[in-house]
Amino acid sequence: KNPEKSGVILSATEGDANAMGKFVADAISISSGWKACFPNLVPDIPRGWGAELGYFINNTDYSYNTWVDMQMTDHQRDPSFLSSSVMAGTVGKHPTLYLFADDIHTGKNTISPQEMKNTKARFFSDAFPTLNNPKATPLFTSTYTPWDEEDTNAELKRSNVFRYSQTPILKFDPDGNEEWEGEKCF
């Protein structure tokens, strides 16, 4: 809807971040569904289309110079979207559309209270402040597995600044057609 804007995808590790970035990039570059809905939005290979520099989108409805000017007016040098690990950070980036945090905690960075504290500190010092773009109010979305009441997402939830929704993997119900640990569920 707003292809001139920018976004950041944040994951626990560089491998996870690169995989998520590639997934989105593949949807844009090779998905027949994307091409049917947005035939004018294509990879901008000359400006960058990869994990290292980020992914720049070209909108062929405009001349190339006009399109690049539109993007630079919106978010200067940032790519259309970038994927990064929480520990690599996103200092200097200022997404204008979204910051998507996808499982920033793992078994490795929650192995001790100190590791969890380090990850949380890095998120709140490097990633979260990127939402301060004066030209935009980016959407912040986080998908996660809860680790404990001191993880980053628990702190975000306690802040009451964000809307929180939960999608349970199953629902216990005596009329359910499945069973888990001896209880009927859906």
Side-chain angles (χ1 to χ4, degrees), residues 40-107:
N40 58 313
L41 301 178
V42 298
D44 188 347
I45 306 294
R47 290 186 72 205
W49 192 255
E52 190 174 323
L53 297 175
Y55 300 87
F56 287 84
I57 293 173
N58 183 13
N59 187 341
T60 60
D61 284 348
Y62 298 91
S63 74
Y64 190 71
N65 289 345
T66 299
W67 176 247
V68 171
D69 286 346
M70 289 170 65
Q71 286 184 305
M72 291 180 76
T73 297
D74 181 73
H75 55 268
Q76 297 153 355
R77 62 183 169 80
D78 289 354
S80 300
F81 67 96
L82 170 74
S83 54
S84 179
S85 76
V86 68
M87 296 312 276
T90 54
V91 173
K93 303 300 179 202
H94 299 286
T96 58
L97 188 59
Y98 64 89
L99 171 61
F100 175 62
D102 177 45
D103 282 331
I104 59 173
H105 285 293
T106 66

Side-chain angles (χ1 to χ4, degrees), residues 105-123:
H105 285 293
T106 66
K108 187 174 180 181
N109 67 20
T110 59
I111 199 160
S112 71
Q114 187 59 49
E115 285 295 321
M116 188 176 304
K117 185 177 177 181
N118 292 345
T119 301
K120 187 165 55 171
R122 194 65 180 258
F123 175 81

Side-chain angles (χ1 to χ4, degrees), residues 147-166:
W147 288 89
D148 75 18
E149 287 305 312
E150 295 305 316
D151 72 16
T152 304
N153 292 295
E155 187 166 326
L156 287 166
K157 185 178 172 186
R158 280 192 301 271
S159 75
N160 291 321
V161 173
F162 305 97
R163 228 177 346 179
Y164 172 77
S165 66
Q166 181 176 356

